Amino acid sequence: MNIYVLLKRTFDTEEKIEIENGEIIDDGAEFIINPYDEYAVEEAIQIRDEHGGEVSVVTVGDEEAEKQLRTALAMGADQAYLIEDEDIENGDEYSTQELLKAFFAEKEYDLILGGNVAVDGGSGQIGPRLADQLDIVHVTSAVDITLEGNEAKVERDVEGDQEIISVSLPALITAQQGLNEPRYPSLPGIMKAKKKPLETLDLDDLDVDEEDAEGKTKTVERFLPPEKQAGRILEGEVEGQVQELVRLLKTDAKVL
Amino acid sequence: MNFELTQEQQLLKDMVRDFAQNEIAPKAREIDETGEFPIDTFKKMGELGLLGIPFSEEYGGSGGDTVSYSLAVEEIGRACGSTGLSYAAAVSLGASPLYYFGTEEQKQKYLVPLASGEALGSFGLTEPNAGSDAGGTQTKAVLDGDEYVINGEKCWITNAGFAKTVIVTAVTGKDARGKNIISAFIVPTDTPGFTINSNYDKMGVRGSNTSELILEDVRVPKENLLGDPEKGFKQFLYTLDGGRISIASLAVGIAQSAFDAALAYSKERKQFSQPISNFQAIQFKLADMSMEIELARNMVLKAAWLKDQGKKFTKEGAYAKLFASEMATRVCNQAIQIHGGYGYMKEYGVERMLRDAKLMEIGEGTSEIQRLVIARELGCGEKKKAKVNG
Ligand SMILES: Cc1cc2nc3c(=O)[nH]c(=O)nc-3n(C[C@H](O)[C@H](O)[C@H](O)COP(=O)(O)OP(=O)(O)OC[C@H]3O[C@@H](n4cnc5c(N)ncnc54)[C@H](O)[C@@H]3O)c2cc1C
């Protein structure tokens, strides 16, 4: 079984995001494997351990992402690929899709796993986009995956309800929280990770033209959500409170 | 000059931090209150390979270096001082002497289970009448046929209550100048005549197991003598040199944790209509605290690096231990001050950190003894070389 995992390096979710001149300031921030991708890595390792095969992790990013790939190798993945996207102007989901499409054109795969969404951009597009380009089925938001022969039975989370879907392989499945409990990389794992293959690929290696992978979207503005204001507690008879609330919604908040 | 950690060191540090914050920190208050040793935590640390960081793979270790080990101790200490102390003692005192001085057979039999985390080790040097003055050891070991018979008493021995083996020091005779020859013995804790009590009521590191050892005609095979029979004293001085680095790392971890709490609190707590971090008096405290922590950390990592390079590190190890431990006490004390009355309450955790930090100035050689070690390295008092523990 050839299993690939799509992995992104993201901000630590505990970091406080700051914006300066329309750009996100990331110096000094801690970076991690996108938590949803970590579920995907864990699931891939478990599936490999049960059914045999190899786990390859793939990221699109800059050389700094090597650390997150090594972490996945330390958890137990067998090899890693770093696709460098630094030459692409204004990269977006489309660019990532194009690079991954070119990468997978040369590969044989039974299962591609990824995170449901990345906690930074939050688009949740890469999985479905790639499946579309590769012309394979995909299931998002998996909380349980069982493999039987050439079929995968996937339990997915649909806004709190569960849906069970059977798909035939090759398939792309994205992970939701609850799929598993990712392991800590062990010390021996960390020591071994150094010796596992990690290949860096650039646009030339993938035969992709800079212009063809240029982003399709334009960022117009970046701003932080407004700070939460202190609440107000209305007092008095319920009827009076309701009237006061309606009045405030009309005149103060101007939402009615 | 390069202050960058290697990729493995960085990965290890991240992993230990994650593990420590998720699995160890949530239990810190409880084990302080109940005094219950967190044996489950040690099982998990063993599975992750943390108990074997500085030992090579052939002995069940992970093949890491002293720098990696120091980073791990700091992160664990940052989550919980008690767990940090037991961790540092298990590796630096319980297992390291076997690694440094054991025969191949001793390593296979006694080090492998410790390094791979199946069992905990412990090191018994201190006695009721021999603390800093380890040369005054009274426990005796007498050869009787193929066995040594050991009699004596040890106090305040970390982890012994949960250990499979304890390395015990004992007097085996006198040298040409009439001075005690002290050797070390590997003593399985289930040996008849070996009693271990864990009844101490401690100020801090209350979740760390501390035990009293009573040895009454304890018989161990001759092969259980560890290392050179004549050089037992030198051996444990080397062991303690290494142990100091880990106690210093632990002090840095505890101080960092107290500082983190104090900084966060100072930004939240409002008095006179503003966060107390706006007051210069509080700012100066925080500036001093963060500076001192970083200075201590640099010294600790330098000592660890020297050890990894196979260079002499006695003086630097003592600098690190002395400065980091006294710094940790100062920082934790100021962290309480910044918290005001809340800091005096158990709920905020910083009072525990002060109680835990204080031990760092005492265990593995008191601050006074560190100063003696440094002075000796400076060539002072060459003639009257006292044998000191630390
Ligand atoms: C929680 C805990 C865990 C411990 N774990 C272990 C362990 O695992 N294994 C182990 O073997 N021991 C352990 N110890 C013992 C520890 O190493 C000793 O407490 C320490 O070495 C000091 O010895 P002492 O307590 O007898 O103090 P003493 O030696 O009696 O010292 C009392 C005071 O006199 C000072 N002093 C002594 N000699 C001199 C001198 N020459 N010049 C100037 N000042 C001097 C000391 O610095 C100190 O301030 C532990 C202790 C504690 C509290």
Side-chain angles (χ1 to χ4, degrees):
Chain A
M1 169 108 29
N2 272 333
I3 311 168
Y4 283 82
V5 182
L6 312 175
L7 175 158
K8 187 177 187 185
R9 167 182 187 264
T10 59
F11 272 101
D12 191 332
T13 33
E14 279 164 28
E15 295 289 331
K16 207 171 156 193
I17 308 240
E18 280 177 52
I19 295 180
E20 223 177 87
N21 301 326
E23 294 294 326
I24 295 168
I25 310 291
D26 63 5
D27 32 303
E30 295 279 336
F31 285 86
I32 53 169
I33 298 179
N34 174 41
Y36 295 95
D37 303 349
E38 214 176 351
Y39 301 127
V41 174
E42 175 64 36
E43 196 67 14
I45 294 167
Q46 289 185 16
I47 292 173
R48 178 205 58 200
D49 289 350
E50 199 183 328
H51 299 273
E54 275 202 338
V55 175
S56 309
V57 284
V58 191
T59 196
V60 176
D62 56 25
E63 60 181 359
E64 313 250 358
E66 194 184 314
K67 189 177 152 208
Q68 281 65 38
L69 290 176
R70 290 277 177 216
T71 305
L73 293 173
M75 286 172 74
D78 300 290
Q79 54 196 331
Y81 298 93
L82 170 59
I83 303 174
E84 288 199 326
D85 65 351
E86 278 156 339
D87 293 339
I88 295 180
E89 283 201 22
N90 183 32
D92 66 5
E93 289 80 3
Y94 171 77
S95 318
T96 306
Q97 162 210 305
E98 287 301 293
L99 292 172
L100 287 172
K101 179 174 100 181
F103 171 81
F104 279 103
E106 307 290 317
K107 303 284 176 209
E108 281 188 23
Y109 44 84
D110 301 297
L111 188 59
I112 303 176
L113 298 176
N116 187 38
V117 66
V119 295
D120 52 1
S123 79
Q125 292 183 18
I126 300 302
R129 269 178 182 270
L130 178 64
D132 178 52
Q133 294 297 312
L134 299 177
D135 203 17
I136 59 174
V137 289
H138 79 265
V139 185
T140 56
S141 265
V143 290
D144 191 58
I145 301 174
T146 329
L147 290 188
E148 273 162 38
N150 203 34
E151 293 238 315
K153 205 169 82 186
V154 186
E155 189 177 324
R156 65 185 295 263
D157 169 58
V158 256
E159 310 275 320
D161 281 330
Q162 308 298 318
E163 185 176 62
I164 296 177
I165 294 180
S166 279
V167 291
S168 55
L169 303 183
L172 186 149
I173 302 171
T174 68
Q176 172 64 298
Q177 186 170 14
L179 179 60
N180 52 44
E181 192 62 50
R183 70 193 66 195
Y184 298 101
S186 72
L187 240 304
I190 289 172
M191 293 309 187
K192 268 185 234 147
K194 182 167 55 172
K195 293 168 206 141
K196 291 182 179 174
L198 189 156
E199 196 181 332
T200 303
L201 302 163
D202 60 17
L203 296 187
D204 287 344
D205 296 319
L206 295 174
D207 233 352
V208 174
D209 266 350
E210 274 167 50
E211 295 86 56
D212 293 344
E214 234 172 65
K216 301 273 191 202
T217 54
K218 213 166 94 187
T219 302
V220 185
E221 198 188 345
R222 277 200 185 92
F223 56 90
L224 291 172
E227 263 193 55
K228 209 174 152 198
Q229 303 291 321
R232 251 179 78 182
I233 295 174
L234 303 177
E235 278 167 19
E237 294 290 321
V238 174
E239 211 159 306
Q241 283 190 44
V242 171
Q243 271 170 11
E244 176 67 0
L245 178 66
V246 172
R247 191 188 67 77
L248 286 171
L249 288 175
K250 273 186 179 156
T251 57
D252 259 36
K254 297 198 172 72
V255 290
L256 289 183
Chain B
M1 200 45 135
N2 181 2
F3 283 96
E4 205 89 55
L5 296 179
T6 66
Q7 203 164 40
E8 288 92 71
Q9 289 164 348
Q10 189 63 50
L11 287 184
L12 168 119
K13 186 176 145 138
D14 290 353
M15 178 274 270
V16 181
R17 176 174 298 180
D18 265 6
F19 173 77
Q21 291 305 320
N22 293 332
E23 314 262 346
I24 298 178
K27 294 186 197 151
R29 183 177 173 191
E30 190 194 322
I31 68 169
D32 174 61
E33 276 173 12
T34 60
E36 255 170 53
F37 185 71
I39 188 70
D40 288 348
T41 302
F42 278 83
K43 287 203 178 109
K44 288 185 193 164
M45 293 198 317
E47 282 161 20
L48 288 174
L50 294 180
L51 289 162
I53 294 182
F55 311 123
S56 57
E57 286 160 32
E58 58 189 315
Y59 303 118
S62 308
D65 50 18
T66 313
V67 169
S68 302
Y69 168 56
S70 299
L71 297 169
V73 176
E74 181 186 332
E75 290 301 334
I76 293 170
R78 190 172 175 178
C80 170
S82 293
T83 310
L85 180 70
S86 279
Y87 172 60
V91 177
S92 290
L93 299 183
S96 292
L98 295 165
Y99 187 63
Y100 300 142
F101 310 115
T103 61
E104 182 60 29
E105 212 185 326
Q106 288 172 338
K107 286 184 191 168
Q108 292 300 342
K109 190 164 173 193
Y110 299 109
L111 176 59
V112 171
L114 300 185
S116 56
E118 284 158 37
L120 277 181
S122 180
F123 183 75
L125 171 65
T126 306
E127 300 184 358
N129 294 314
S132 301
D133 179 14
T137 297
Q138 292 174 342
T139 297
K140 282 194 173 52
V142 179
L143 193 60
D144 177 24
D146 283 343
E147 290 176 331
Y148 276 101
V149 184
I150 311 174
N151 278 288
E153 212 178 299
K154 300 280 173 185
C155 60
W156 311 323
I157 307 307
T158 303
N159 294 345
F162 287 83
K164 220 174 135 183
T165 51
V166 182
I167 298 170
V168 172
T169 53
V171 176
T172 45
K174 296 220 186 277
D175 66 12
R177 289 174 299 160
K179 286 204 168 155
N180 281 341
I181 299 173
I182 300 175
S183 309
F185 297 88
I186 305 166
V187 187
T189 47
D190 56 5
T191 313
F194 195 3
T195 311
I196 300 174
N197 300 316
S198 315
N199 300 327
Y200 298 117
D201 193 3
K202 302 193 292 290
M203 170 185 181
V205 292
R206 296 175 57 83
S208 171
N209 174 267
T210 313
S211 300
E212 168 194 44
L213 315 181
I214 300 162
L215 300 105
E216 289 167 306
D217 289 330
V218 168
R219 289 178 167 266
V220 294
K222 209 165 62 181
E223 303 86 72
N224 281 25
L225 192 127
L226 179 62
D228 189 317
E230 302 286 315
K231 295 195 187 126
F233 206 89
K234 269 220 163 106
Q235 289 174 13
F236 65 65
L237 287 190
Y238 183 79
T239 302
L240 292 174
D241 275 353
R244 272 180 217 141
I245 298 178
S246 70
I247 294 297
S249 307
L250 178 53
V252 171
I254 296 172
Q256 182 70 51
S257 178
F259 171 76
D260 291 345
L263 180 63
Y265 184 82
S266 73
K267 290 180 179 171
E268 275 161 24
R269 174 67 174 172
K270 289 204 172 86
Q271 287 294 283
F272 302 97
S273 315
Q274 50 187 315
I276 59 169
S277 63
N278 282 1
F279 305 134
Q280 202 176 50
I282 302 290
Q283 291 173 354
F284 279 19
K285 282 189 203 297
L286 290 165
D288 285 347
M289 290 157 80
S290 83
M291 171 189 70
E292 287 205 46
I293 292 168
E294 190 63 15
L295 293 181
R297 182 180 288 122
N298 276 343
M299 194 64 238
V300 174
L301 291 175
K302 180 171 179 192
W305 178 85
L306 285 170
K307 181 164 191 275
D308 285 335
Q309 303 305 310
K311 298 187 191 227
K312 212 168 171 311
F313 63 96
T314 302
K315 187 173 66 184
E316 289 77 5
Y319 285 163
K321 154 82 160 81
L322 172 60
F323 183 71
S325 60
E326 297 194 344
M327 172 285 289
T329 301
R330 279 195 295 274
V331 165
C332 294
N333 191 26
Q334 291 300 342
I336 297 176
Q337 194 65 20
I338 290 173
H339 279 77
Y342 292 99
Y344 204 70
M345 302 296 139
K346 295 212 165 190
E347 193 187 339
Y348 282 76
V350 283
E351 62 79 37
R352 180 187 76 240
M353 294 170 200
L354 178 63
R355 289 187 283 109
D356 289 350
K358 184 65 194 172
L359 188 263
M360 308 305 134
E361 293 181 59
I362 298 169
E364 294 193 44
T366 62
S367 286
E368 292 72 25
I369 295 304
Q370 302 309 318
R371 289 185 168 90
L372 278 184
V373 170
I374 295 165
R376 183 192 294 159
E377 289 295 312
L378 298 175
C380 303
E382 275 289 303
K383 291 232 171 71
K384 274 187 71 190
K385 247 191 188 178
K387 284 181 177 176
V388 288
N389 169 4

Coordinates of all heavy atoms in Angstrom, one line a residue, chain B residues 85 93 123-126 130-133 155-158 202 205 210 359 362-366 368-369 372 389, ligand 1:
Chain B
L85 N 13.1 16.3 39.0 CA 14.1 15.8 39.9 C 14.3 14.3 39.8 O 15.4 13.8 39.6 CB 13.9 16.2 41.4 CG 15.0 15.6 42.3 CD1 16.3 16.4 42.1 CD2 14.6 15.6 43.7
L93 N 22.2 10.0 38.0 CA 22.7 9.3 39.1 C 22.5 7.8 39.1 O 23.4 7.0 39.4 CB 22.1 9.8 40.4 CG 22.4 11.3 40.7 CD1 21.8 11.7 42.0 CD2 23.8 11.7 40.6
F123 N 20.8 6.3 43.3 CA 22.2 6.4 43.7 C 22.3 6.8 45.1 O 21.8 7.9 45.5 CB 22.9 7.4 42.8 CG 24.4 7.6 43.0 CD1 25.3 6.7 42.5 CD2 24.8 8.8 43.6 CE1 26.6 6.9 42.7 CE2 26.2 9.0 43.8 CZ 27.1 8.0 43.3
G124 N 22.8 5.9 46.0 CA 22.9 6.2 47.4 C 24.2 6.5 47.9 O 25.1 5.6 48.1
L125 N 24.5 7.8 48.2 CA 25.8 8.2 48.6 C 25.6 8.8 50.0 O 26.3 8.5 51.0 CB 26.3 9.3 47.7 CG 27.6 10.1 48.0 CD1 28.8 9.1 48.1 CD2 27.8 11.1 46.9
T126 N 24.6 9.8 50.2 CA 24.5 10.5 51.4 C 24.1 9.6 52.6 O 23.3 8.7 52.4 CB 23.4 11.6 51.2 OG1 23.8 12.4 50.1 CG2 23.3 12.5 52.4
A130 N 27.2 11.8 56.8 CA 28.1 12.1 55.7 C 27.3 12.7 54.6 O 26.7 12.0 53.8 CB 28.8 10.8 55.3
G131 N 27.3 14.0 54.6 CA 26.6 14.7 53.5 C 27.5 15.3 52.6 O 28.1 14.6 51.7
S132 N 27.9 16.6 52.8 CA 28.9 17.2 52.0 C 30.2 16.5 52.1 O 31.0 16.4 51.1 CB 29.1 18.7 52.4 OG 27.9 19.4 52.3
D133 N 30.5 16.0 53.3 CA 31.7 15.3 53.6 C 31.5 13.8 53.3 O 31.4 13.0 54.1 CB 32.1 15.5 55.0 CG 33.4 14.8 55.4 OD1 34.1 14.4 54.5 OD2 33.6 14.7 56.6
C155 N 20.6 8.2 53.6 CA 19.4 9.0 53.7 C 19.1 9.9 52.5 O 20.0 10.2 51.8 CB 19.4 9.8 55.0 SG 20.7 11.0 55.1
W156 N 17.8 10.2 52.3 CA 17.4 11.1 51.2 C 17.8 10.6 49.8 O 18.3 11.4 49.0 CB 17.9 12.5 51.4 CG 17.7 13.0 52.8 CD1 16.6 12.8 53.6 CD2 18.6 13.8 53.6 NE1 16.8 13.4 54.8 CE2 18.0 14.0 54.8 CE3 19.8 14.4 53.3 CZ2 18.6 14.8 55.8 CZ3 20.4 15.1 54.3 CH2 19.8 15.3 55.6
I157 N 17.5 9.4 49.5 CA 18.0 8.8 48.3 C 16.8 8.9 47.3 O 15.7 8.2 47.5 CB 18.5 7.4 48.4 CG1 19.6 7.4 49.5 CG2 19.0 6.9 47.1 CD1 20.7 8.4 49.3
T158 N 17.0 9.6 46.2 CA 15.9 9.9 45.2 C 15.6 8.6 44.5 O 16.5 7.9 44.0 CB 16.3 11.0 44.3 OG1 16.6 12.1 45.0 CG2 15.2 11.3 43.3
K202 N 8.6 16.4 53.0 CA 9.5 17.4 52.4 C 8.8 18.7 52.2 O 7.6 18.8 52.0 CB 10.1 16.9 51.1 CG 10.8 15.5 51.2 CD 11.6 15.3 49.9 CE 10.8 15.0 48.6 NZ 10.0 13.8 48.6
V205 N 9.6 19.4 46.0 CA 9.7 18.2 45.2 C 9.0 17.0 45.9 O 9.5 15.9 46.0 CB 11.2 17.9 44.8 CG1 11.8 18.9 43.9 CG2 12.1 17.7 46.1
T210 N 11.7 10.1 47.8 CA 12.9 10.2 48.5 C 12.9 9.2 49.6 O 11.9 9.1 50.4 CB 13.0 11.6 49.2 OG1 12.7 12.6 48.2 CG2 14.4 11.9 49.7
L359 N 15.5 23.1 46.6 CA 16.2 21.9 46.7 C 17.5 21.9 45.8 O 18.5 21.3 46.0 CB 15.3 20.7 46.3 CG 15.8 19.3 46.4 CD1 16.4 18.6 45.2 CD2 16.8 19.0 47.6
I362 N 20.7 22.6 47.3 CA 21.1 21.6 48.3 C 21.6 20.3 47.7 O 22.7 19.8 47.9 CB 20.0 21.4 49.3 CG1 19.7 22.7 50.0 CG2 20.4 20.3 50.3 CD1 18.5 22.7 50.9
G363 N 20.7 19.7 46.8 CA 21.0 18.4 46.3 C 22.2 18.4 45.3 O 22.5 19.4 44.7
E364 N 22.8 17.3 45.2 CA 24.0 17.1 44.4 C 25.1 18.2 44.6 O 25.7 18.7 43.7 CB 23.6 17.0 42.9 CG 22.8 15.7 42.7 CD 22.6 15.4 41.2 OE1 23.6 15.5 40.5 OE2 21.5 15.0 40.9
G365 N 25.3 18.4 45.9 CA 26.3 19.4 46.2 C 25.7 20.8 46.5 O 25.1 21.4 45.6
T366 N 25.8 21.2 47.7 CA 25.2 22.5 48.1 C 25.9 23.7 47.4 O 27.0 23.5 46.8 CB 25.4 22.7 49.6 OG1 26.8 22.8 49.9 CG2 24.7 21.6 50.5
E368 N 27.5 26.0 48.7 CA 28.8 26.2 49.3 C 29.8 25.3 48.7 O 30.9 25.7 48.4 CB 28.7 26.0 50.9 CG 27.9 27.1 51.6 CD 26.4 27.0 51.4 OE1 25.9 25.9 51.0 OE2 25.7 28.0 51.5
I369 N 29.4 24.0 48.5 CA 30.3 23.0 48.0 C 30.6 23.4 46.5 O 31.8 23.2 46.1 CB 29.7 21.6 48.1 CG1 29.6 21.2 49.6 CG2 30.5 20.6 47.3 CD1 30.8 21.3 50.4
L372 N 33.3 25.8 46.7 CA 34.6 25.1 47.0 C 35.2 24.4 45.7 O 36.4 24.5 45.5 CB 34.3 24.0 48.0 CG 34.2 24.3 49.5 CD1 34.1 23.0 50.3 CD2 35.5 25.0 49.9
N389 N 31.2 15.9 48.6 CA 30.1 15.4 47.9 C 29.5 16.6 47.0 O 29.0 17.5 47.6 CB 29.0 14.9 48.8 CG 27.7 14.6 48.1 OD1 27.6 14.7 46.9 ND2 26.7 14.2 48.9
Ligands
LIG1 C1 15.1 15.8 48.2 C2 16.5 15.4 48.3 C3 17.0 14.4 47.4 C4 18.3 13.9 47.5 N1 18.7 12.9 46.7 C5 19.9 12.3 46.9 C6 20.3 11.1 46.2 O1 19.5 10.6 45.3 N2 21.4 10.5 46.5 C7 22.3 11.0 47.4 O2 23.3 10.4 47.6 N3 21.9 12.1 48.1 C8 20.8 12.7 47.9 N4 20.4 13.8 48.7 C9 21.4 14.3 49.7 C10 22.1 15.6 49.3 O3 23.0 15.4 48.3 C11 22.7 16.2 50.5 O4 21.7 16.7 51.3 C12 23.7 17.3 50.2 O5 24.9 16.8 49.6 C13 24.1 18.1 51.5 O6 24.5 17.2 52.5 P1 23.8 17.4 54.0 O7 22.4 17.6 53.8 O8 24.3 16.4 54.9 O9 24.3 18.8 54.5 P2 25.7 19.1 55.3 O10 26.9 18.6 54.6 O11 25.5 18.8 56.7 O12 25.7 20.7 55.1 C14 25.1 21.6 56.0 C15 25.5 23.0 55.6 O13 26.9 23.2 55.8 C16 27.5 23.6 54.6 N5 28.8 23.0 54.5 C17 29.2 21.7 54.7 N6 30.5 21.5 54.5 C18 31.0 22.7 54.2 C19 32.3 23.2 53.9 N7 33.4 22.4 53.9 N8 32.5 24.5 53.7 C20 31.4 25.4 53.7 N9 30.1 25.0 54.0 C21 30.0 23.7 54.2 C22 26.6 23.1 53.6 O14 26.8 23.8 52.4 C23 25.3 23.3 54.2 O15 24.9 24.7 54.0 C24 19.1 14.4 48.5 C25 18.7 15.4 49.4 C26 17.4 15.9 49.3 C27 17.0 16.9 50.3

